[in-house]
Amino acid sequence: MPWRSIRARLTLWYTSLFTLSFLALGGAGYGLLSYTLSQESDAALRGVAQTLAEREGGRADSLIPGEIDEIFRQFFGFSPLERYFERFSPLDRLRPGASPPGGGKIPLSQEALKNASRGLPTFETLKGLAPYPVRVLTWPVVRGGRVSGLIQVGMSRENLEKTRGGFLLIMGGMLPVALLLAGGGGWVLARKALKPVDRMTETARKISAEHLDRQVQGSGTGDELDRLARTLNEMLGRLNLAFQEIRQFSADASHELQTPLTVLKGEIEVGLRAPRKPEEYQAILRSALEETDRIARLVEGLLLLSRSDAGVLRMDRRPVDLKTLAEEVIAAVRPLAESRSVNLQADSTEPVQVMGDPDHLRRLFLNLVDNGIKYTPGGGSVEVSLYKEERWACLRVKDSGIGVAAEDQEKIFRRFYRADRARSQGGSGSGLGLAIAKSIAEAHGGRIQLESAEGQGSVFTVLLPLSS
Ligand code: ADP
């Protein structure tokens, strides 16, 4: 659809505006020309009438045609072919419509007669006298201090009409040429201006999920299209990053699932290889159950994260007392702390209530306290405290463990990220715990803060909005 293209529409707009401007300017020029020519012609006619009336009033004999022509020439600058001159007198015997005594053609109008009797001139344009309209000026003749008669001088408007006609002809002739030039120029300009868009479209067409690192080429001039190219490139950069994260995530998730599945498969194969005693089968099944649990936890965590990403995480919203919740969590992890010789302390005073989902919040606390115990060597301590600060409920888990290096502090909240020290320590972590905790805190309108230094323990603080 050619008219759908911006280039065609720009050209159309440009040409239309140009035509309008051309017509407006032409119209104004035509009006100004007509006005100036009429004014000049009227001024010349007035000069002729004044001179002739003065001579007529000051003399007893009549003016001769040669003398009249001379005066017309003096004011108009040329000898007019179509000039008119009539005299009427005496004034008191004149009637409107009277023909001049010399058999002239200009009739005397009532208004001209009335004005002349009051000593005033009258301009009129008469049609039908000649092929072109005639401009007539009726002028009073004053003799001895009073109006004795009147004279009429007239001039064909042929010159004026022809000049105006010529002007129109030139404008009319120029219009199509100007239109063609404007249309062609507009098209070329629009084409030049939109060339970068074509280039961008071409590059964008080639970009697919596999080639998100490609860049749209800008002009480098800093203009609107260059800014558009830059914005597109920034967007492509973000998309590329998101795609990389998704790829990394799938790879990590497969890897994390693969490990317990391989162990599970190995155990089952060992169990089937030869007949065994019931206690051996039980040991194998127990171990298989542990791996199955691990897989189930992983899948559950992944499900929670993807639901939270999609904004469809199911959440109860009811008043939850964090004090009770924290006590439950501490009771649940105490055996683990004892088994690792980690001193677990709880210090909560008053009930702290928030609106939220108790199951999700329990999971959040459990992840943090569990991490505290996991990443604290035997003999260390984990301290859980609950308090209110402004409009926030704060749950703080402070441990004296391995700590988090500054460069890892932001990364450990990413999915599947595990700091090197944590990895080297072994342990059963999958790297999803903190990502899940962060998702849950954010789903409740809260956040998690971390203060830590490598080798000096960590303080994780969950801030959740207090229910009002
Ligand atoms: P996981 O504990 O399963 O590895 P998490 O998401 O809970 O996964 O934690 C991610 C990483 O953050 C851990 O591997 C560890 O490197 C670091 N981390 C979390 N909690 C602590 C802590 N209390 N002390 C030191 N490092 C921690």
mmCIF file of all heavy atoms in Angstrom, residues 371-372 374-375 399 402-404 412 417-419 422 429-435 458 460, ligand 1:
data_model
loop_
_atom_site.group_PDB
_atom_site.id
_atom_site.type_symbol
_atom_site.label_atom_id
_atom_site.label_comp_id
_atom_site.label_asym_id
_atom_site.label_seq_id
_atom_site.Cartn_x
_atom_site.Cartn_y
_atom_site.Cartn_z
ATOM 1 N N ASN A 371 20.213 -21.494 56.197
ATOM 2 C CA ASN A 371 21.495 -21.043 55.621
ATOM 3 C C ASN A 371 22.471 -20.651 56.724
ATOM 4 O O ASN A 371 23.651 -20.993 56.658
ATOM 5 C CB ASN A 371 21.276 -19.820 54.716
ATOM 6 C CG ASN A 371 20.877 -20.235 53.310
ATOM 7 O OD1 ASN A 371 20.917 -21.413 52.979
ATOM 8 N ND2 ASN A 371 20.478 -19.277 52.493
ATOM 9 N N GLY A 372 21.951 -19.898 57.721
ATOM 10 C CA GLY A 372 22.804 -19.438 58.820
ATOM 11 C C GLY A 372 23.504 -20.624 59.475
ATOM 12 O O GLY A 372 24.714 -20.584 59.746
ATOM 13 N N LYS A 374 23.839 -23.696 58.129
ATOM 14 C CA LYS A 374 24.636 -24.429 57.132
ATOM 15 C C LYS A 374 26.009 -23.802 56.917
ATOM 16 O O LYS A 374 27.007 -24.482 56.737
ATOM 17 C CB LYS A 374 23.884 -24.398 55.795
ATOM 18 C CG LYS A 374 23.397 -25.739 55.378
ATOM 19 C CD LYS A 374 22.557 -25.789 54.114
ATOM 20 C CE LYS A 374 22.599 -24.691 53.154
ATOM 21 N NZ LYS A 374 21.577 -24.787 52.096
ATOM 22 N N TYR A 375 26.014 -22.435 56.881
ATOM 23 C CA TYR A 375 27.270 -21.753 56.546
ATOM 24 C C TYR A 375 28.024 -21.244 57.781
ATOM 25 O O TYR A 375 28.806 -20.324 57.688
ATOM 26 C CB TYR A 375 26.994 -20.619 55.547
ATOM 27 C CG TYR A 375 26.413 -21.178 54.261
ATOM 28 C CD1 TYR A 375 25.108 -20.923 53.886
ATOM 29 C CD2 TYR A 375 27.194 -22.012 53.462
ATOM 30 C CE1 TYR A 375 24.577 -21.459 52.731
ATOM 31 C CE2 TYR A 375 26.671 -22.575 52.303
ATOM 32 C CZ TYR A 375 25.357 -22.295 51.943
ATOM 33 O OH TYR A 375 24.848 -22.857 50.812
ATOM 34 N N ASP A 399 24.657 -14.582 61.779
ATOM 35 C CA ASP A 399 25.476 -15.760 62.073
ATOM 36 C C ASP A 399 26.942 -15.376 62.148
ATOM 37 O O ASP A 399 27.339 -14.298 61.705
ATOM 38 C CB ASP A 399 25.240 -16.862 61.026
ATOM 39 C CG ASP A 399 25.711 -16.475 59.653
ATOM 40 O OD1 ASP A 399 26.880 -16.119 59.493
ATOM 41 O OD2 ASP A 399 24.870 -16.526 58.704
ATOM 42 N N ILE A 402 30.796 -18.183 57.589
ATOM 43 C CA ILE A 402 31.858 -17.913 56.591
ATOM 44 C C ILE A 402 31.716 -16.537 55.935
ATOM 45 O O ILE A 402 32.650 -16.046 55.322
ATOM 46 C CB ILE A 402 31.887 -19.011 55.490
ATOM 47 C CG1 ILE A 402 30.529 -19.102 54.783
ATOM 48 C CG2 ILE A 402 32.278 -20.344 56.093
ATOM 49 C CD1 ILE A 402 30.544 -20.012 53.565
ATOM 50 N N GLY A 403 30.536 -15.945 56.048
ATOM 51 C CA GLY A 403 30.335 -14.608 55.458
ATOM 52 C C GLY A 403 30.241 -14.647 53.941
ATOM 53 O O GLY A 403 30.476 -15.687 53.312
ATOM 54 N N VAL A 404 29.901 -13.499 53.354
ATOM 55 C CA VAL A 404 29.749 -13.423 51.883
ATOM 56 C C VAL A 404 30.672 -12.315 51.384
ATOM 57 O O VAL A 404 30.630 -11.184 51.883
ATOM 58 C CB VAL A 404 28.284 -13.093 51.488
ATOM 59 C CG1 VAL A 404 28.118 -13.136 49.970
ATOM 60 C CG2 VAL A 404 27.310 -14.036 52.164
ATOM 61 N N ILE A 412 24.279 -13.662 45.206
ATOM 62 C CA ILE A 412 23.748 -14.854 45.892
ATOM 63 C C ILE A 412 22.211 -14.909 45.876
ATOM 64 O O ILE A 412 21.633 -15.947 46.169
ATOM 65 C CB ILE A 412 24.259 -14.973 47.353
ATOM 66 C CG1 ILE A 412 23.904 -13.729 48.151
ATOM 67 C CG2 ILE A 412 25.739 -15.264 47.398
ATOM 68 C CD1 ILE A 412 24.144 -13.919 49.642
ATOM 69 N N TYR A 417 22.852 -19.546 42.024
ATOM 70 C CA TYR A 417 24.197 -19.020 42.299
ATOM 71 C C TYR A 417 24.665 -19.492 43.665
ATOM 72 O O TYR A 417 23.958 -19.373 44.665
ATOM 73 C CB TYR A 417 24.203 -17.483 42.246
ATOM 74 C CG TYR A 417 25.614 -16.947 42.380
ATOM 75 C CD1 TYR A 417 26.424 -16.815 41.259
ATOM 76 C CD2 TYR A 417 26.151 -16.639 43.628
ATOM 77 C CE1 TYR A 417 27.740 -16.372 41.375
ATOM 78 C CE2 TYR A 417 27.457 -16.193 43.751
ATOM 79 C CZ TYR A 417 28.247 -16.069 42.621
ATOM 80 O OH TYR A 417 29.535 -15.643 42.736
ATOM 81 N N ARG A 418 25.861 -20.028 43.700
ATOM 82 C CA ARG A 418 26.450 -20.422 44.980
ATOM 83 C C ARG A 418 27.875 -19.889 45.016
ATOM 84 O O ARG A 418 28.640 -20.051 44.065
ATOM 85 C CB ARG A 418 26.468 -21.951 45.114
ATOM 86 C CG ARG A 418 25.096 -22.585 44.969
ATOM 87 C CD ARG A 418 25.121 -24.039 45.375
ATOM 88 N NE ARG A 418 25.226 -24.168 46.817
ATOM 89 C CZ ARG A 418 25.751 -25.221 47.427
ATOM 90 N NH1 ARG A 418 26.212 -26.219 46.721
ATOM 91 N NH2 ARG A 418 25.814 -25.281 48.736
ATOM 92 N N ALA A 419 28.193 -19.227 46.100
ATOM 93 C CA ALA A 419 29.551 -18.676 46.199
ATOM 94 C C ALA A 419 30.550 -19.826 46.272
ATOM 95 O O ALA A 419 30.212 -20.934 46.697
ATOM 96 C CB ALA A 419 29.650 -17.807 47.439
ATOM 97 N N ALA A 422 30.970 -21.664 49.536
ATOM 98 C CA ALA A 422 29.825 -22.519 49.860
ATOM 99 C C ALA A 422 29.928 -23.817 49.074
ATOM 100 O O ALA A 422 29.700 -24.908 49.591
ATOM 101 C CB ALA A 422 28.529 -21.809 49.526
ATOM 102 N N GLY A 429 23.074 -27.676 49.261
ATOM 103 C CA GLY A 429 22.361 -26.532 48.656
ATOM 104 C C GLY A 429 22.220 -26.644 47.147
ATOM 105 O O GLY A 429 23.000 -27.312 46.480
ATOM 106 N N SER A 430 21.198 -25.987 46.641
ATOM 107 C CA SER A 430 20.996 -25.959 45.193
ATOM 108 C C SER A 430 21.131 -24.538 44.664
ATOM 109 O O SER A 430 21.149 -24.318 43.461
ATOM 110 C CB SER A 430 19.612 -26.494 44.857
ATOM 111 O OG SER A 430 18.649 -25.616 45.406
ATOM 112 N N GLY A 431 21.181 -23.568 45.547
ATOM 113 C CA GLY A 431 21.300 -22.181 45.085
ATOM 114 C C GLY A 431 19.964 -21.526 44.804
ATOM 115 O O GLY A 431 19.909 -20.453 44.199
ATOM 116 N N LEU A 432 18.869 -22.154 45.211
ATOM 117 C CA LEU A 432 17.553 -21.544 44.964
ATOM 118 C C LEU A 432 16.980 -20.856 46.197
ATOM 119 O O LEU A 432 16.090 -20.024 46.099
ATOM 120 C CB LEU A 432 16.549 -22.617 44.516
ATOM 121 C CG LEU A 432 16.587 -23.054 43.063
ATOM 122 C CD1 LEU A 432 15.406 -23.978 42.782
ATOM 123 C CD2 LEU A 432 16.546 -21.879 42.124
ATOM 124 N N GLY A 433 17.494 -21.212 47.384
ATOM 125 C CA GLY A 433 16.903 -20.758 48.645
ATOM 126 C C GLY A 433 16.742 -19.250 48.746
ATOM 127 O O GLY A 433 15.659 -18.742 49.050
ATOM 128 N N LEU A 434 17.809 -18.501 48.462
ATOM 129 C CA LEU A 434 17.730 -17.046 48.614
ATOM 130 C C LEU A 434 16.877 -16.406 47.521
ATOM 131 O O LEU A 434 16.191 -15.407 47.762
ATOM 132 C CB LEU A 434 19.129 -16.423 48.615
ATOM 133 C CG LEU A 434 19.931 -16.583 49.909
ATOM 134 C CD1 LEU A 434 21.276 -15.895 49.789
ATOM 135 C CD2 LEU A 434 19.155 -16.013 51.094
ATOM 136 N N ALA A 435 16.925 -16.995 46.311
ATOM 137 C CA ALA A 435 16.084 -16.455 45.220
ATOM 138 C C ALA A 435 14.616 -16.578 45.620
ATOM 139 O O ALA A 435 13.810 -15.655 45.418
ATOM 140 C CB ALA A 435 16.357 -17.206 43.926
ATOM 141 N N SER A 458 27.444 -13.175 58.729
ATOM 142 C CA SER A 458 26.508 -12.396 57.906
ATOM 143 C C SER A 458 25.294 -12.002 58.722
ATOM 144 O O SER A 458 24.935 -12.689 59.686
ATOM 145 C CB SER A 458 26.001 -13.218 56.719
ATOM 146 O OG SER A 458 27.021 -14.003 56.185
ATOM 147 N N PHE A 460 21.402 -11.247 57.688
ATOM 148 C CA PHE A 460 20.322 -11.128 56.702
ATOM 149 C C PHE A 460 19.115 -10.538 57.431
ATOM 150 O O PHE A 460 18.725 -11.046 58.477
ATOM 151 C CB PHE A 460 19.922 -12.506 56.149
ATOM 152 C CG PHE A 460 20.900 -13.068 55.162
ATOM 153 C CD1 PHE A 460 22.004 -13.792 55.593
ATOM 154 C CD2 PHE A 460 20.725 -12.891 53.798
ATOM 155 C CE1 PHE A 460 22.916 -14.318 54.687
ATOM 156 C CE2 PHE A 460 21.622 -13.419 52.884
ATOM 157 C CZ PHE A 460 22.721 -14.131 53.322
HETATM 158 P P1 ADP B 1 22.063 -22.748 48.852
HETATM 159 O O1 ADP B 1 22.169 -22.433 50.291
HETATM 160 O O2 ADP B 1 21.158 -23.878 48.566
HETATM 161 O O3 ADP B 1 23.369 -22.843 48.164
HETATM 162 P P2 ADP B 1 20.887 -20.190 48.724
HETATM 163 O O4 ADP B 1 20.164 -19.516 47.636
HETATM 164 O O5 ADP B 1 20.175 -20.334 50.013
HETATM 165 O O6 ADP B 1 21.353 -21.540 48.154
HETATM 166 O O7 ADP B 1 22.204 -19.405 48.958
HETATM 167 C C1 ADP B 1 22.990 -19.018 47.855
HETATM 168 C C2 ADP B 1 24.411 -18.805 48.247
HETATM 169 O O8 ADP B 1 24.510 -17.728 49.146
HETATM 170 C C3 ADP B 1 24.998 -19.956 49.037
HETATM 171 O O9 ADP B 1 25.477 -20.933 48.198
HETATM 172 C C4 ADP B 1 26.091 -19.257 49.802
HETATM 173 O O10 ADP B 1 27.206 -19.095 48.957
HETATM 174 C C5 ADP B 1 25.521 -17.916 50.091
HETATM 175 N N1 ADP B 1 24.924 -17.824 51.436
HETATM 176 C C6 ADP B 1 23.632 -17.878 51.763
HETATM 177 N N2 ADP B 1 23.448 -17.713 53.080
HETATM 178 C C7 ADP B 1 24.671 -17.543 53.607
HETATM 179 C C8 ADP B 1 25.162 -17.310 54.941
HETATM 180 N N3 ADP B 1 24.325 -17.248 55.978
HETATM 181 N N4 ADP B 1 26.494 -17.156 55.100
HETATM 182 C C9 ADP B 1 27.314 -17.224 54.048
HETATM 183 N N5 ADP B 1 26.925 -17.428 52.785
HETATM 184 C C10 ADP B 1 25.633 -17.593 52.569
#
